[in-house]
Amino acid sequence: MTSPDDTSKAPAPAGGKAPAKDPWALPDVSDLVVGVLGGTGDQGRGLAYRLAKAGQKVIVGSRAAERARAAAEELGHGVEGADNAECARRSDIVIVAVPWDGHARTLEALRAELAGKLVVDCVNPLGFDKQGAYALTPDEGSAAQQAAALLPDSRVTAAFHHLSAVLLQDPDIAEIDTDVLVLGERRADTDIVQALAARIPGMRGVFAGRLRNAHQVESLVANLISVNRRYKAHAGLRVTDV
């Protein structure tokens, strides 16, 4: 039996090997334009508001440009609104915050616009019945893996799953006390997403593995919904000892 930090079988580093990169040495992302697909929904609006308030250039996208522009005007802080295709084209990083039932359809329609972009999927495939929320398992394994399959020319990551839309949108809350689990295939991409999360006061991005591990991260939202209902809270996550 081993623990998560068991290194007893790890090989010794080769002589002369460069020191390991500092995991907290993250890039400057302040000049990147962030698009939020589904930016008129609660989660998308909340992320757009927090990032724009932190000084990020943000464009919210919607199927209807008029609806996106109306949401952008309400959010303020220089947020712009556009239809989904324009939002994707004009952005360096695109956060996917659409409802699960429209996830595949939205991404299929934007494959060309999202080519070459860093895509951050924060969609949680959930079902609801009389017993509460429960996780769904997409054929691809997770929403993030579905995004990667539908967007072969994009760099797909997964993050921002466990955030309370209520807290994100509340202007009276100065800091969002939570960690953001970030998953992806390339360290350069996950570093960018971690740095983006850190732009929001109180928030920290933590690398949590490759996209094949996204299902349990997405599924944990069902547990957090149960926590919130029982304790009348807006629970988040903190990872200890890192």
Side-chain angles (χ1 to χ4, degrees):
M1 181 175 180
T2 60
S3 67
D5 60 344
D6 184 7
T7 58
S8 60
K9 297 182 180 180
K17 186 176 180 181
K21 180 181 176 182
D22 180 355
W24 300 111
L26 301 174
D28 180 4
V29 298
S30 58
D31 290 335
L32 298 181
V33 178
V34 179
V36 183
L37 302 179
T40 59
D42 288 340
Q43 193 79 353
R45 284 172 65 98
L47 283 168
Y49 170 69
R50 289 291 165 174
L51 289 169
K53 188 177 180 181
Q56 209 75 35
K57 176 60 185 173
V58 176
I59 304 171
V60 293
S62 175
R63 287 178 296 175
E66 297 81 4
R67 187 179 178 193
R69 285 193 285 267
E73 185 175 351
E74 292 175 4
L75 290 169
H77 298 285
V79 176
E80 295 184 37
D83 63 48
N84 283 331
E86 182 182 349
C87 174
R89 281 194 299 267
R90 292 177 56 195
S91 301
D92 301 304
I93 305 174
V94 179
I95 298 174
V96 182
V98 300
W100 167 240
D101 59 7
H103 184 258
R105 182 172 62 252
T106 299
L107 297 184
E108 284 174 334
L110 297 172
R111 181 176 297 174
E113 290 82 0
L114 291 171
K117 307 286 184 176
L118 177 54
V119 175
V120 186
D121 200 295
C122 68
V123 175
N124 302 305
L126 298 177
F128 295 86
D129 60 19
K130 292 181 179 179
Q131 298 183 61
Y134 60 95
L136 304 175
T137 304
D139 291 340
E140 298 84 356
S142 65
Q145 288 170 294
Q146 183 183 86
L150 293 172
L151 303 172
D153 298 319
S154 302
R155 295 138 51 210
V156 176
T157 60
F160 301 116
H161 301 90
H162 307 135
L163 306 181
S164 164
V166 173
L167 298 184
L168 289 173
Q169 295 183 83
D170 189 339
D172 294 328
I173 294 177
E175 297 187 358
I176 306 295
D177 181 24
T178 192
D179 284 335
V180 171
L181 300 182
V182 181
L183 303 97
E185 302 303 319
R186 297 175 53 194
R187 178 163 184 168
D189 293 337
T190 56
D191 280 357
I192 289 172
V193 180
Q194 286 180 253
L196 186 66
R199 295 276 287 161
I200 299 174
M203 211 176 274
R204 181 180 66 159
V206 178
F207 175 71
R210 295 179 178 269
L211 289 185
R212 67 181 183 180
N213 294 321
H215 173 66
Q216 56 264 38
V217 173
E218 296 169 1
S219 300
L220 187 58
V221 174
N223 302 91
L224 290 177
I225 290 172
S226 296
V227 170
N228 290 337
R229 288 180 173 173
R230 173 65 63 89
Y231 298 103
K232 309 299 185 211
H234 301 293
L237 297 178
R238 278 295 186 199
V239 179
T240 62
D241 201 33
V242 294

